[in-house]
Amino acid sequence: MSSGLPARLLRRREISRRPSFLELFFDLAFILALNRLSRALEDDLGVGGAFRAALLLAAIWWVWFVTAWSTDWFEPRTPLISGLLLWVMFGGMLMAAAAPTAYAGHALVFAGAYVAIHLGRAALLLPALHGHPLQLRTLRVAIWFAVSGVLWLAGAFVGPAQVVLWTAAVVLDYSMARLRWPTPGLGRSSWENLQIIGEHLSERYQQIFIIALGELILTAGITFSQRGFDLGRSAAFALMFVNAVSLGRLYLVPGGMRLGAAIEAMGSLGSRLGLLAGYLHLVMIAGVLATGVGSRLMIMEPFSHEPAAVVTMAAGPTLFLTGWILLALAVHGRFSWQRLIGMAAILIAAAVGHEQSLLLNSAIITGLLILIAHGDTLATRLRRRRWA
């Protein structure tokens, strides 16, 4: 179909490659989500608390991810898609507000908003795509979200099994996307049917990563402002800033991952790389979230010796580096040994210095991040000289 409403809804791939203002506005809801998730993690720094926070992050990330892919296929400037973005944004804000108490009284708000977002998207798109081949793809996705929605809602009502049911729901949502939503009687989507615009999606990933770094700085800055400007806290705030800059530099160097170009070069199979990048960006953003929690704890009590806080401070860069190393391997086909060595050094430093102050541990981790960044630069220069 080349005319009518379905055609007007589709993004014109040859000219519309940059994110729209409304897409950037939609990202603001993620600031609230990360802020509330960091507070939930801070209140329960144990292994169980970290896993429960990870479940909530996975759900919120999936809302952002599916919406980013939707706007890669559909034109966000059309009234229907604009309304859909605002619907998802409001639902995401409800999920974010409920996140700190999602396991203690507001599970139905969190799960209900999640299910309403995904099924509401289908309710808007299915009639609008009538007669278009994309309607079948949207129907497959909607059916699987309805199945996982049963698990999300059941978990909200069955307290003792909540974590188990929500874990199953997350696994189902993520795995069905990788399997391209195989549906009895409807088949599964092809990678060609899921083809994406590499430049657009890679920019969306970069923008949401910057949003995550912005939330880290915002939370730390508010804590610093509230706690006072003594020497210890000022040093802790400075270390947080250097950490944020280091993570941003490590994300972009070398070459900003060249993710968009790699997706475009793969043609119809580029959607598979784009999906993998979505999973790995979740790992990197989880690292930024943990880094923010560790930074806040350090600014509050820079000379404390809380082991859980030390673990959190080390877990942040470790998660980030893990996601980045795997993404670099997928994009470049090259393993970053210098980053792997740096990640191991961070873990060893945290294990050896677990009885040292948070400020000292952060200074060591910051120094290692700077060395890793310089190692990247040196490795890039050596490769260029070898190719010259």
Side-chain angles (χ1 to χ4, degrees), residues 290-291 294 308-319 343 346-347 349-351 361 365:
T291 299
V310 174
V311 171
T312 304
M313 291 169 58
T318 300
L319 285 169
M343 183 172 66
I346 288 173
L347 292 174
N361 273 283
I365 291 172

Side-chain angles (χ1 to χ4, degrees), residues 22-338:
L22 189 56
E23 290 175 87
L24 302 181
F25 182 65
F26 165 76
D27 288 350
L28 295 180
F30 207 69
I31 298 177
L32 175 62
L34 287 176
N35 179 271
R36 296 293 81 197
L37 285 171
S38 65
R39 183 55 57 90
L41 178 59
E42 184 183 326
D43 291 339
D44 188 359
L45 284 177
V47 175
F51 182 78
R52 287 187 289 272
L55 274 182
L56 302 180
L57 175 61
I60 291 172
W61 173 253
W62 204 237
V63 168
W64 182 90
F65 174 80
V66 174
T67 304
W69 274 58
S70 295
T71 53
D72 192 87
W73 294 322
F74 300 109
E75 176 53 66
R77 296 173 180 84
T78 59
L80 180 68
I81 304 303
S82 295
L84 177 57
L85 277 173
L86 294 175
W87 164 264
V88 176
M89 184 178 182
F90 181 72
M93 292 175 65
L94 284 178
M95 292 176 65
T101 53
Y103 298 102
H106 293 112
L108 186 57
V109 176
F110 186 89
Y114 180 86
V115 174
I117 285 170
H118 293 302
L119 296 187
R121 180 189 296 110
L124 287 174
L125 288 178
L126 284 172
L129 291 171
H130 179 70
H132 195 279
L134 289 182
Q135 186 184 41
L136 182 58
R137 183 187 69 189
T138 303
L139 179 59
R140 294 189 193 102
V141 176
I143 289 172
W144 281 110
F145 272 129
V147 174
S148 72
V150 173
L151 296 174
W152 282 107
L153 294 175
F157 286 105
V158 185
Q162 181 180 4
V163 174
V164 174
L165 290 171
W166 283 9
T167 300
V170 166
V171 171
L172 182 64
D173 284 339
Y174 278 63
S175 60
M176 283 302 105
R178 180 60 183 84
L179 296 173
R180 290 168 286 144
W181 300 282
T183 309
L186 299 177
R188 75 172 73 201
S189 298
S190 64
W191 288 117
E192 291 80 2
N193 191 238
L194 298 172
Q195 189 171 359
I196 54 176
I197 303 172
E199 180 184 347
H200 173 260
L201 193 62
S202 64
E203 278 204 36
R204 296 295 289 122
Y205 284 142
Q206 289 183 20
Q207 287 156 358
I208 201 62
F209 187 79
I210 291 172
I211 287 286
L213 289 178
E215 195 285 327
L216 186 161
I217 294 172
L218 174 66
T219 301
I222 291 174
T223 303
F224 181 49
S225 176
Q226 293 173 340
R227 291 283 174 158
F229 298 85
D230 58 83
L231 183 59
R233 291 190 175 91
S234 297
F237 184 70
L239 286 172
M240 176 282 305
F241 178 73
V242 175
N243 274 338
V245 172
S246 298
L247 292 177
R249 187 175 189 273
L250 287 167
Y251 179 82
L252 293 173
V253 177
M257 296 298 305
R258 302 183 181 90
L259 176 60
I263 291 175
E264 296 289 349
M266 293 179 68
S268 60
L269 292 180
S271 53
R272 185 163 57 185
L273 176 58
L275 179 63
L276 175 62
Y279 294 153
L280 296 177
H281 271 80
L282 169 61
V283 177
M284 288 188 279
I285 287 177
V288 175
L289 177 66
T291 299
V293 172
S295 297
R296 174 176 158 80
L297 293 171
M298 174 182 61
I299 292 172
M300 288 192 294
E301 299 291 342
F303 299 108
S304 70
H305 303 77
E306 178 60 45
V310 174
V311 171
T312 304
M313 291 169 58
T318 300
L319 285 169
F320 167 80
L321 289 170
T322 299
W324 196 98
I325 289 169
L326 294 176
L327 186 57
L329 181 62
V331 172
H332 301 293
R334 185 174 62 245
F335 199 83
S336 178
W337 290 104
Q338 65 269 19

